Amino acid sequence: MVISGSHGQRHDTAADAAAPPDSPTTGHLRRGVPATSHPSPVPGRRLRLDSALHGVGALVLDWDGTLADTHQARYRALSQALAPFGVLLDEDFYRARSGRPVLDLLSRLPVPVPADRVREASARLLLEHLRSGHLQPVPATLALLHQARAAGLPCAIASSASRRLVTTGLRALDLEHMFAAVVTADETSRGKPAPEVFLRAAAELALPPAACLAVDDAHDGIAAARAAGMPVLTLTGTPPVLVIPPPERTVP
């Protein structure tokens, strides 16, 4: 069975084509829109690296697809885990729901599958990838993370993935020391688009959510950050750049 659905988050915009090349001082951030604690709601505009963190008390990052370039590895792992049950996972369906915990995503398939078995098989394949030495960070997010740490800002991870996957990936990228808090699906009862993971991250940093800048590449992650009361950036384009996301939409 082929599972299909709506398209995902990363779309090139007219601003992508019109924007000048990134300079060494702006890195992979879109120019022209400061990302303060209350950013101007102008989607698709380039942000300056030196202004993205203006007025921000902390940085809270999603893991998969935001800090770590794991989209294809996660899609392949879940596809392989579903194959024995006759399910061919359409990538558009997956991408539109990739910000959710895997059990939530599996519950939305039109055919029943043994979710715990599929999740475990997918996790084993992902762990192999994370330990293979092939994992790469997303450059735009990594640059923002280094900028935040250089400015003395505390940073946290707020992920829909399991703790073992996130911590294995952070070790593989040698980034564990950059984060004061790591909150995953293992510590939350409701996954994105519910705001719990972002609220817990802010609480562990001992800061109000409005003081934390969130970055998430997925529709559900953006919705979760907004529901938590955090200003949020997302990623778009190839290579990905950081932008203020457009108004949220609902993905079933």
Side-chain angles (χ1 to χ4, degrees), residues 37-121:
S37 58
H38 300 284
S40 175
V42 180
R45 297 279 302 280
R46 292 198 171 189
L47 298 168
R48 291 181 58 87
L49 183 58
D50 56 3
S51 68
L53 297 169
H54 179 68
V56 169
L59 182 64
V60 181
L61 302 177
D62 172 52
W63 168 248
D64 285 302
T66 299
L67 180 57
D69 186 3
T70 56
H71 174 80
Q72 287 300 322
R74 291 178 68 220
Y75 172 67
R76 286 195 302 268
L78 190 56
S79 296
Q80 291 176 40
L82 284 167
F85 305 101
V87 176
L88 180 61
L89 184 64
D90 181 83
E91 190 167 0
D92 287 339
F93 177 93
Y94 169 78
R95 185 183 289 276
R97 296 158 182 83
S98 63
R100 301 182 181 189
V102 66
L103 289 180
D104 188 341
L105 187 153
L106 292 172
S107 73
R108 296 172 191 278
L109 297 175
V111 292
V113 296
D116 288 334
R117 288 171 58 189
V118 172
R119 176 179 61 174
E120 187 57 33

Coordinates of all heavy atoms in Angstrom, one line a residue, residues 37-121:
S37 N 12.6 38.7 20.4 CA 11.7 37.9 21.1 C 10.3 38.1 20.5 O 9.4 37.3 20.8 CB 11.7 38.3 22.6 OG 11.4 39.7 22.8
H38 N 10.1 39.1 19.7 CA 8.8 39.3 19.0 C 9.1 39.7 17.6 O 9.0 40.8 17.2 CB 7.9 40.3 19.7 CG 7.6 40.0 21.1 ND1 6.6 39.1 21.4 CD2 8.1 40.5 22.3 CE1 6.5 39.0 22.7 NE2 7.4 39.8 23.3
P39 N 9.6 38.7 16.8 CA 10.0 39.0 15.4 C 8.9 39.5 14.5 O 7.7 39.1 14.7 CB 10.5 37.7 14.9 CG 9.9 36.6 15.7 CD 9.7 37.3 17.0
S40 N 9.2 40.4 13.6 CA 8.2 40.9 12.7 C 7.7 39.8 11.8 O 8.5 39.0 11.3 CB 8.9 42.0 11.8 OG 8.0 42.4 10.8
P41 N 6.4 39.6 11.7 CA 5.8 38.5 11.0 C 5.9 38.6 9.5 O 5.0 38.7 8.8 CB 4.4 38.5 11.4 CG 4.1 39.9 11.7 CD 5.3 40.5 12.2
V42 N 7.2 38.6 9.0 CA 7.4 38.7 7.5 C 8.1 37.4 7.1 O 9.3 37.2 7.3 CB 8.3 39.9 7.2 CG1 8.5 39.9 5.7 CG2 7.7 41.2 7.7
P43 N 7.3 36.4 6.6 CA 7.9 35.1 6.2 C 8.8 35.2 5.0 O 8.7 36.0 4.2 CB 6.6 34.3 5.9 CG 5.6 35.3 5.5 CD 5.9 36.5 6.3
G44 N 9.8 34.3 5.0 CA 10.6 34.1 3.8 C 11.7 35.1 3.6 O 12.2 35.1 2.5
R45 N 12.0 35.9 4.6 CA 13.1 36.9 4.4 C 14.4 36.5 5.1 O 14.3 35.9 6.2 CB 12.6 38.2 5.0 CG 11.4 38.8 4.4 CD 11.7 39.6 3.1 NE 12.7 40.6 3.4 CZ 12.4 41.8 3.9 NH1 11.1 42.1 4.2 NH2 13.3 42.8 4.1
R46 N 15.5 36.8 4.5 CA 16.8 36.4 5.1 C 17.0 37.1 6.4 O 16.8 38.3 6.5 CB 17.9 36.6 4.1 CG 17.8 35.7 3.0 CD 19.1 35.6 2.2 NE 19.0 34.5 1.2 CZ 20.1 34.1 0.6 NH1 21.2 34.6 0.7 NH2 19.9 33.1 -0.3
L47 N 17.6 36.4 7.4 CA 17.9 37.0 8.7 C 19.4 37.1 8.9 O 20.2 36.2 8.5 CB 17.4 36.1 9.8 CG 15.8 36.0 9.8 CD1 15.5 34.8 10.8 CD2 15.2 37.2 10.2
R48 N 19.9 38.2 9.4 CA 21.3 38.4 9.7 C 21.7 37.6 10.9 O 21.0 37.5 11.9 CB 21.6 39.9 10.0 CG 21.4 40.8 8.8 CD 21.8 42.2 9.2 NE 23.1 42.3 9.7 CZ 24.2 42.5 9.0 NH1 24.1 42.6 7.7 NH2 25.4 42.6 9.5
L49 N 22.8 36.9 10.8 CA 23.3 36.1 11.9 C 23.5 36.9 13.2 O 23.2 36.5 14.3 CB 24.6 35.4 11.5 CG 25.3 34.5 12.5 CD1 24.3 33.4 12.9 CD2 26.6 33.9 12.0
D50 N 24.0 38.2 13.0 CA 24.2 39.0 14.2 C 23.0 39.6 14.8 O 23.0 40.2 15.8 CB 25.3 40.1 13.9 CG 24.9 41.0 12.7 OD1 23.7 40.8 12.2 OD2 25.6 41.9 12.3
S51 N 21.8 39.5 14.1 CA 20.6 40.1 14.6 C 19.6 39.0 15.0 O 18.6 39.3 15.7 CB 19.9 41.0 13.6 OG 19.5 40.2 12.5
A52 N 19.8 37.7 14.6 CA 18.9 36.7 14.9 C 18.7 36.5 16.4 O 17.6 36.1 16.8 CB 19.3 35.4 14.2
L53 N 19.7 36.7 17.2 CA 19.6 36.4 18.6 C 19.5 37.7 19.4 O 19.5 37.6 20.6 CB 20.9 35.7 19.1 CG 21.1 34.3 18.4 CD1 22.5 33.8 18.7 CD2 20.1 33.3 18.9
H54 N 19.2 38.8 18.8 CA 19.0 40.1 19.5 C 17.8 40.0 20.4 O 16.7 39.6 20.0 CB 18.8 41.2 18.5 CG 18.6 42.5 19.2 ND1 19.6 43.2 19.9 CD2 17.5 43.3 19.3 CE1 19.1 44.3 20.4 NE2 17.9 44.4 20.0
G55 N 18.0 40.3 21.7 CA 16.9 40.2 22.6 C 16.5 38.9 23.1 O 15.5 38.7 23.8
V56 N 17.2 37.8 22.8 CA 16.9 36.5 23.1 C 17.7 36.0 24.3 O 18.8 36.4 24.5 CB 17.3 35.5 21.9 CG1 17.2 34.1 22.3 CG2 16.3 35.8 20.7
G57 N 17.0 35.3 25.2 CA 17.6 34.8 26.4 C 18.2 33.4 26.3 O 19.1 33.0 27.1
A58 N 17.7 32.6 25.3 CA 18.2 31.2 25.2 C 17.8 30.7 23.8 O 16.9 31.3 23.1 CB 17.6 30.3 26.2
L59 N 18.4 29.7 23.3 CA 18.1 29.1 22.0 C 17.7 27.6 22.3 O 18.3 26.9 23.0 CB 19.4 29.1 21.2 CG 19.3 28.5 19.7 CD1 18.3 29.4 18.9 CD2 20.7 28.4 19.1
V60 N 16.5 27.3 21.7 CA 16.0 25.9 21.8 C 15.8 25.3 20.4 O 15.1 25.8 19.6 CB 14.6 26.0 22.5 CG1 14.1 24.5 22.7 CG2 14.8 26.6 23.9
L61 N 16.5 24.2 20.2 CA 16.6 23.7 18.8 C 15.9 22.3 18.8 O 16.1 21.5 19.7 CB 18.0 23.5 18.4 CG 19.0 24.7 18.4 CD1 20.4 24.3 18.0 CD2 18.4 25.7 17.4
D62 N 15.1 22.1 17.7 CA 14.7 20.7 17.4 C 16.0 20.0 16.9 O 17.0 20.6 16.6 CB 13.7 20.8 16.2 CG 13.4 19.5 15.6 OD1 13.0 18.6 16.4 OD2 13.5 19.4 14.4
W63 N 15.9 18.7 16.9 CA 17.1 17.8 16.5 C 17.0 17.4 15.1 O 17.7 17.9 14.2 CB 17.2 16.6 17.5 CG 18.1 15.6 17.0 CD1 17.8 14.3 16.6 CD2 19.6 15.7 16.9 NE1 19.0 13.6 16.2 CE2 20.1 14.5 16.4 CE3 20.5 16.7 17.2 CZ2 21.4 14.2 16.2 CZ3 21.8 16.5 17.0 CH2 22.3 15.3 16.5
D64 N 16.1 16.5 14.8 CA 16.0 15.9 13.4 C 15.6 16.9 12.4 O 14.5 17.5 12.5 CB 15.0 14.7 13.4 CG 15.6 13.5 14.1 OD1 16.6 13.0 13.7 OD2 14.9 13.0 15.1
G65 N 16.5 17.1 11.4 CA 16.2 18.0 10.3 C 16.4 19.4 10.6 O 16.4 20.3 9.7
T66 N 16.7 19.8 11.8 CA 17.0 21.1 12.2 C 18.5 21.3 12.6 O 19.1 22.1 12.0 CB 16.1 21.6 13.4 OG1 14.7 21.5 13.0 CG2 16.4 23.0 13.9
L67 N 18.9 20.6 13.6 CA 20.4 20.6 13.9 C 21.1 19.5 13.1 O 22.2 19.7 12.7 CB 20.6 20.5 15.4 CG 22.0 20.5 15.8 CD1 22.8 21.8 15.4 CD2 22.1 20.4 17.4
A68 N 20.5 18.3 13.0 CA 21.1 17.2 12.3 C 20.4 16.9 11.0 O 19.1 16.9 11.0 CB 21.0 16.0 13.2
D69 N 21.1 16.7 10.0 CA 20.6 16.4 8.7 C 20.2 15.0 8.6 O 20.9 14.1 8.1 CB 21.6 16.8 7.6 CG 21.1 16.7 6.2 OD1 19.8 16.4 6.1 OD2 21.8 16.9 5.2
T70 N 19.0 14.6 9.1 CA 18.7 13.2 9.3 C 17.4 12.9 8.5 O 16.9 11.7 8.6 CB 18.4 12.9 10.8 OG1 17.3 13.8 11.2 CG2 19.6 13.0 11.6
H71 N 16.9 13.8 7.7 CA 15.6 13.5 7.1 C 15.6 12.2 6.2 O 14.8 11.3 6.4 CB 15.1 14.7 6.2 CG 13.9 14.4 5.4 ND1 12.6 14.4 6.0 CD2 13.7 13.9 4.1 CE1 11.7 14.0 5.1 NE2 12.4 13.7 3.9
Q72 N 16.6 12.1 5.3 CA 16.6 11.0 4.4 C 16.9 9.7 5.2 O 16.3 8.6 4.9 CB 17.7 11.1 3.3 CG 17.2 12.1 2.3 CD 15.9 11.7 1.6 OE1 15.7 10.5 1.3 NE2 15.1 12.7 1.3
A73 N 17.8 9.7 6.2 CA 18.1 8.5 7.0 C 16.8 8.1 7.8 O 16.6 6.9 7.9 CB 19.2 8.8 8.0
R74 N 16.1 9.0 8.3 CA 14.9 8.7 9.1 C 13.8 8.1 8.2 O 13.1 7.2 8.5 CB 14.3 9.9 9.8 CG 15.2 10.4 11.0 CD 14.6 11.6 11.6 NE 13.4 11.3 12.3 CZ 12.3 12.1 12.3 NH1 12.3 13.2 11.7 NH2 11.3 11.8 13.0
Y75 N 13.7 8.7 7.0 CA 12.7 8.2 6.1 C 13.0 6.8 5.6 O 12.1 5.9 5.5 CB 12.6 9.2 4.9 CG 11.7 8.7 3.7 CD1 10.3 8.5 3.9 CD2 12.3 8.3 2.5 CE1 9.6 8.0 2.9 CE2 11.5 7.8 1.5 CZ 10.1 7.6 1.7 OH 9.4 7.1 0.7
R76 N 14.3 6.6 5.3 CA 14.7 5.3 4.8 C 14.5 4.2 5.9 O 14.0 3.1 5.7 CB 16.2 5.3 4.4 CG 16.4 5.9 3.0 CD 17.8 5.6 2.5 NE 18.8 6.0 3.5 CZ 19.5 7.2 3.4 NH1 19.1 8.1 2.5 NH2 20.4 7.4 4.3
A77 N 14.8 4.6 7.2 CA 14.7 3.7 8.3 C 13.2 3.3 8.5 O 12.9 2.1 8.7 CB 15.3 4.3 9.5
L78 N 12.4 4.3 8.5 CA 11.0 4.0 8.7 C 10.4 3.2 7.6 O 9.5 2.3 7.8 CB 10.2 5.3 9.0 CG 8.7 5.1 9.5 CD1 8.7 4.3 10.8 CD2 8.1 6.5 9.7
S79 N 10.8 3.6 6.4 CA 10.3 2.8 5.2 C 10.7 1.4 5.2 O 9.9 0.5 5.0 CB 10.8 3.5 3.9 OG 10.4 4.8 3.7
Q80 N 11.9 1.1 5.6 CA 12.4 -0.3 5.7 C 11.7 -1.0 6.8 O 11.4 -2.2 6.7 CB 13.9 -0.3 5.9 CG 14.7 0.2 4.7 CD 16.2 0.2 5.0 OE1 16.7 -0.7 5.7 NE2 16.9 1.2 4.5
A81 N 11.4 -0.3 7.9 CA 10.7 -1.0 9.0 C 9.3 -1.3 8.7 O 8.7 -2.3 9.2 CB 10.8 -0.1 10.3
L82 N 8.6 -0.5 7.8 CA 7.3 -0.7 7.4 C 7.1 -1.8 6.3 O 6.0 -2.4 6.2 CB 6.6 0.6 7.0 CG 6.2 1.6 8.1 CD1 5.9 2.9 7.5 CD2 5.0 1.0 8.9
A83 N 8.2 -1.9 5.5 CA 8.1 -2.8 4.3 C 7.6 -4.2 4.6 O 6.8 -4.8 3.9 CB 9.4 -2.8 3.6
P84 N 8.0 -4.9 5.7 CA 7.5 -6.2 6.0 C 6.0 -6.3 6.2 O 5.5 -7.4 6.1 CB 8.3 -6.6 7.3 CG 9.5 -5.8 7.3 CD 9.1 -4.5 6.7
F85 N 5.4 -5.2 6.5 CA 4.0 -5.2 6.7 C 3.2 -4.7 5.5 O 2.0 -4.4 5.6 CB 3.7 -4.3 8.0 CG 4.4 -4.8 9.2 CD1 5.6 -4.1 9.6 CD2 4.1 -5.9 9.9 CE1 6.3 -4.5 10.6 CE2 4.8 -6.4 10.9 CZ 6.0 -5.7 11.3
G86 N 3.9 -4.6 4.4 CA 3.2 -4.3 3.1 C 2.9 -2.8 3.0 O 2.0 -2.4 2.1
V87 N 3.5 -1.9 3.7 CA 3.3 -0.5 3.7 C 4.4 0.2 2.9 O 5.6 0.1 3.4 CB 3.1 0.1 5.1 CG1 2.9 1.6 5.0 CG2 1.9 -0.5 5.8
L88 N 4.1 0.9 1.8 CA 5.1 1.7 1.1 C 4.9 3.2 1.6 O 3.8 3.8 1.2 CB 4.9 1.5 -0.4 CG 5.9 2.3 -1.3 CD1 7.3 1.9 -1.0 CD2 5.5 2.1 -2.7
L89 N 5.8 3.7 2.3 CA 5.6 5.0 2.9 C 5.9 6.1 1.9 O 7.1 6.2 1.4 CB 6.5 5.2 4.1 CG 6.4 6.5 4.9 CD1 5.0 6.6 5.5 CD2 7.5 6.5 6.0
D90 N 4.9 6.9 1.5 CA 5.2 8.0 0.6 C 5.9 9.2 1.4 O 5.6 9.5 2.5 CB 3.8 8.6 0.1 CG 4.0 9.7 -0.8 OD1 4.2 9.4 -2.0 OD2 3.9 10.9 -0.4
E91 N 6.9 9.7 0.7 CA 7.8 10.7 1.3 C 7.1 12.0 1.7 O 7.4 12.6 2.7 CB 9.0 11.0 0.5 CG 10.1 11.8 1.3 CD 11.4 11.9 0.6 OE1 11.6 11.2 -0.5 OE2 12.3 12.5 1.1
D92 N 6.1 12.4 0.8 CA 5.3 13.6 1.1 C 4.5 13.4 2.4 O 4.4 14.3 3.2 CB 4.5 14.0 0.0 CG 5.2 14.5 -1.2 OD1 6.4 15.0 -1.0 OD2 4.7 14.5 -2.3
F93 N 3.9 12.3 2.5 CA 3.1 12.0 3.8 C 4.0 12.0 5.0 O 3.7 12.6 6.0 CB 2.5 10.6 3.6 CG 1.8 10.1 4.9 CD1 0.4 10.3 5.0 CD2 2.4 9.5 5.9 CE1 -0.3 9.9 6.1 CE2 1.8 9.0 7.0 CZ 0.4 9.3 7.2
Y94 N 5.2 11.4 4.8 CA 6.2 11.4 5.9 C 6.7 12.8 6.3 O 6.7 13.2 7.4 CB 7.4 10.5 5.6 CG 8.5 10.7 6.6 CD1 8.4 10.1 7.8 CD2 9.6 11.5 6.3 CE1 9.4 10.2 8.7 CE2 10.6 11.6 7.2 CZ 10.5 11.0 8.4 OH 11.5 11.2 9.3
R95 N 7.1 13.6 5.3 CA 7.6 14.9 5.5 C 6.6 15.8 6.2 O 7.0 16.6 7.1 CB 8.1 15.5 4.2 CG 8.8 16.8 4.4 CD 9.2 17.5 3.1 NE 10.2 16.8 2.4 CZ 11.5 17.0 2.6 NH1 11.9 17.8 3.5 NH2 12.5 16.3 1.9
A96 N 5.4 15.7 5.8 CA 4.4 16.6 6.4 C 4.1 16.3 7.9 O 3.6 17.1 8.6 CB 3.0 16.5 5.6
R97 N 4.5 15.1 8.3 CA 4.3 14.7 9.7 C 5.6 14.3 10.5 O 5.5 13.8 11.5 CB 3.3 13.5 9.7 CG 2.0 13.8 9.2 CD 1.2 12.6 8.7 NE -0.1 13.0 8.1 CZ -0.2 13.5 6.9 NH1 0.8 13.5 6.1 NH2 -1.4 13.9 6.4
S98 N 6.7 14.7 9.9 CA 8.0 14.2 10.4 C 8.4 14.9 11.7 O 9.2 14.4 12.4 CB 9.1 14.5 9.4 OG 9.2 15.9 9.1
G99 N 7.7 16.0 12.1 CA 7.9 16.6 13.4 C 7.3 15.9 14.6 O 7.6 16.2 15.7
R100 N 6.4 14.9 14.3 CA 5.7 14.2 15.4 C 6.5 13.0 15.9 O 7.3 12.4 15.1 CB 4.4 13.8 14.9 CG 3.5 14.9 14.4 CD 2.1 14.5 13.9 NE 1.4 15.6 13.5 CZ 0.1 15.6 13.2 NH1 -0.6 14.4 13.3 NH2 -0.6 16.7 12.7
P101 N 6.2 12.6 17.1 CA 6.8 11.3 17.5 C 6.4 10.2 16.6 O 5.3 10.2 16.0 CB 6.2 11.1 18.9 CG 5.9 12.5 19.4 CD 5.5 13.2 18.1
V102 N 7.3 9.2 16.4 CA 7.0 8.1 15.4 C 5.7 7.4 15.7 O 5.0 7.0 14.8 CB 8.2 7.2 15.3 CG1 8.5 6.4 16.5 CG2 8.1 6.3 14.1
L103 N 5.4 7.1 17.0 CA 4.2 6.4 17.3 C 2.9 7.2 16.8 O 1.9 6.6 16.4 CB 4.1 6.1 18.8 CG 5.0 5.0 19.3 CD1 4.8 4.8 20.8 CD2 4.9 3.7 18.5
D104 N 3.0 8.5 17.0 CA 1.9 9.4 16.5 C 1.8 9.3 15.0 O 0.7 9.1 14.4 CB 2.2 10.8 16.9 CG 1.0 11.7 16.7 OD1 0.1 11.4 15.8 OD2 1.0 12.8 17.3
L105 N 2.9 9.3 14.3 CA 2.9 9.2 12.8 C 2.3 7.9 12.4 O 1.5 7.8 11.5 CB 4.3 9.4 12.3 CG 4.5 9.5 10.8 CD1 5.7 10.3 10.4 CD2 4.6 8.1 10.1
L106 N 2.7 6.8 13.1 CA 2.3 5.5 12.7 C 0.8 5.3 12.9 O 0.1 4.6 12.2 CB 3.0 4.4 13.5 CG 4.5 4.3 13.1 CD1 5.2 3.3 14.0 CD2 4.7 3.8 11.6
S107 N 0.3 6.0 13.9 CA -1.2 5.9 14.3 C -2.0 6.6 13.2 O -3.2 6.3 13.1 CB -1.5 6.6 15.6 OG -1.4 8.0 15.5
R108 N -1.4 7.4 12.3 CA -2.2 8.1 11.3 C -2.1 7.4 9.9 O -2.6 7.9 8.9 CB -1.7 9.5 11.2 CG -1.9 10.3 12.5 CD -1.3 11.6 12.5 NE -1.5 12.2 13.9 CZ -2.6 12.7 14.4 NH1 -3.6 12.9 13.6 NH2 -2.6 13.2 15.6
L109 N -1.4 6.2 9.9 CA -1.5 5.4 8.7 C -2.9 4.8 8.5 O -3.6 4.5 9.4 CB -0.5 4.3 8.8 CG 1.0 4.7 8.9 CD1 1.9 3.4 9.1 CD2 1.5 5.4 7.6
P110 N -3.3 4.7 7.2 CA -4.7 4.2 7.0 C -4.8 2.7 7.2 O -5.9 2.1 7.1 CB -4.9 4.5 5.5 CG -3.6 4.6 4.9 CD -2.7 5.2 6.0
V111 N -3.7 2.0 7.5 CA -3.7 0.6 7.8 C -3.0 0.3 9.1 O -2.0 1.0 9.5 CB -3.0 -0.3 6.7 CG1 -3.8 -0.2 5.4 CG2 -1.6 0.2 6.5
P112 N -3.5 -0.6 9.9 CA -2.8 -0.8 11.2 C -1.5 -1.6 11.1 O -1.4 -2.4 10.2 CB -3.9 -1.7 12.0 CG -4.6 -2.4 10.9 CD -4.7 -1.4 9.8
V113 N -0.5 -1.2 11.9 CA 0.8 -1.9 11.9 C 1.1 -2.1 13.4 O 0.7 -1.3 14.2 CB 1.9 -1.1 11.2 CG1 1.5 -1.0 9.7 CG2 2.0 0.3 11.8
P114 N 2.0 -3.0 13.7 CA 2.5 -3.2 15.1 C 3.5 -2.1 15.4 O 4.7 -2.2 15.1 CB 3.1 -4.6 15.0 CG 3.5 -4.8 13.6 CD 2.5 -4.1 12.8
A115 N 3.0 -1.0 15.9 CA 3.7 0.2 16.0 C 5.0 0.1 16.8 O 6.0 0.6 16.5 CB 2.8 1.3 16.7
D116 N 5.0 -0.7 18.0 CA 6.2 -0.8 18.8 C 7.3 -1.5 18.0 O 8.4 -1.2 18.1 CB 5.8 -1.5 20.1 CG 5.1 -0.6 21.0 OD1 5.2 0.6 20.9 OD2 4.3 -1.2 21.9
R117 N 6.9 -2.6 17.3 CA 7.9 -3.3 16.5 C 8.4 -2.4 15.4 O 9.7 -2.5 15.1 CB 7.2 -4.6 15.9 CG 6.9 -5.7 16.9 CD 6.1 -6.8 16.3 NE 6.8 -7.4 15.1 CZ 6.2 -8.3 14.3 NH1 4.9 -8.6 14.5 NH2 6.9 -8.8 13.3
V118 N 7.6 -1.7 14.7 CA 8.1 -0.8 13.7 C 9.0 0.3 14.2 O 10.1 0.6 13.7 CB 6.9 -0.1 12.9 CG1 7.4 0.9 12.0 CG2 6.1 -1.2 12.2
R119 N 8.6 0.9 15.3 CA 9.5 1.9 16.0 C 10.8 1.3 16.3 O 11.9 2.0 16.1 CB 8.8 2.5 17.2 CG 9.6 3.5 17.9 CD 8.9 4.1 19.1 NE 8.6 3.1 20.1 CZ 8.1 3.4 21.3 NH1 7.9 4.6 21.7 NH2 7.8 2.4 22.2
E120 N 10.9 0.1 16.9 CA 12.1 -0.4 17.4 C 13.0 -0.8 16.2 O 14.2 -0.5 16.2 CB 11.9 -1.7 18.2 CG 13.1 -2.2 18.8 CD 13.9 -1.2 19.7 OE1 13.3 -0.4 20.3 OE2 15.1 -1.3 19.8
A121 N 12.4 -1.3 15.1 CA 13.2 -1.7 13.9 C 13.8 -0.4 13.3 O 14.9 -0.3 12.9 CB 12.3 -2.4 12.9

